[in-house]
Amino acid sequence: APSSTGTVHSSKPEQSYGGCTRFELEVEFVQALANPYYLNHLASQKLLQDPAFIAYLKYLRYFQQPEYTKYLFYPGPTLNALELLQQERFRQEILSPDIVAHLAKQTLLSSIKAK
């Protein structure tokens, strides 16, 4: 995973989590954030109110750098969701079924345009 300067430390072997590197898990997780229903689930579990989880979301912003964006299948919706999650108001509003439905429609339309 990148350091605060954006470089990847390689002084020791990459630790494996269930056969995956931390970076691979972070790629999978950050891509899941493009799913508004998953965001709603995280909010319903009160994770979006947890300061440690909010700090982790801030850390994941390194995916906005081109050298990491290239690993995302749908960078537009993924990075948009990651940016929205930085806002306390959005973290509260994602509990609304209307907001979830609106975002789901936007995500679907952007994925159709991307093909």
Side-chain angles (χ1 to χ4, degrees):
S3 69
S4 60
T5 60
T7 59
V8 177
H9 296 288
S10 59
S11 59
K12 60 182 179 176
E14 180 82 39
Q15 187 171 357
S16 179
Y17 303 89
C20 297
T21 65
R22 178 177 174 157
F23 178 72
E24 290 169 327
L25 293 174
E26 288 176 353
V27 168
E28 289 295 320
F29 177 72
V30 81
Q31 291 186 123
L33 298 178
N35 181 335
Y37 298 100
Y38 183 57
L39 298 180
N40 177 267
H41 171 74
L42 294 175
S44 71
Q45 300 300 306
K46 303 202 183 310
L47 282 170
L48 299 184
Q49 298 172 10
D50 180 346
F53 192 78
I54 294 167
Y56 182 61
L57 292 171
K58 184 175 182 180
Y59 158 78
L60 290 173
R61 293 174 83 185
Y62 75 84
F63 278 99
Q64 295 171 331
Q65 299 173 21
E67 63 266 31
Y68 298 106
T69 301
K70 67 183 178 185
Y71 294 103
L72 303 175
F73 288 116
Y74 298 104
T78 300
L79 296 176
N80 183 51
L82 187 59
E83 197 55 38
L84 287 170
L85 285 165
Q86 306 304 313
Q87 303 169 26
E88 183 178 354
R89 181 176 175 193
F90 177 78
R91 293 192 304 266
Q92 295 168 358
E93 289 180 348
I94 195 60
L95 282 166
S96 163
D98 292 338
I99 298 290
V100 173
H102 176 73
L103 284 175
K105 183 177 179 182
Q106 281 186 323
T107 301
L108 178 63
L109 291 175
S110 68
S111 66
I112 289 171
K113 289 177 185 174
K115 289 184 179 183

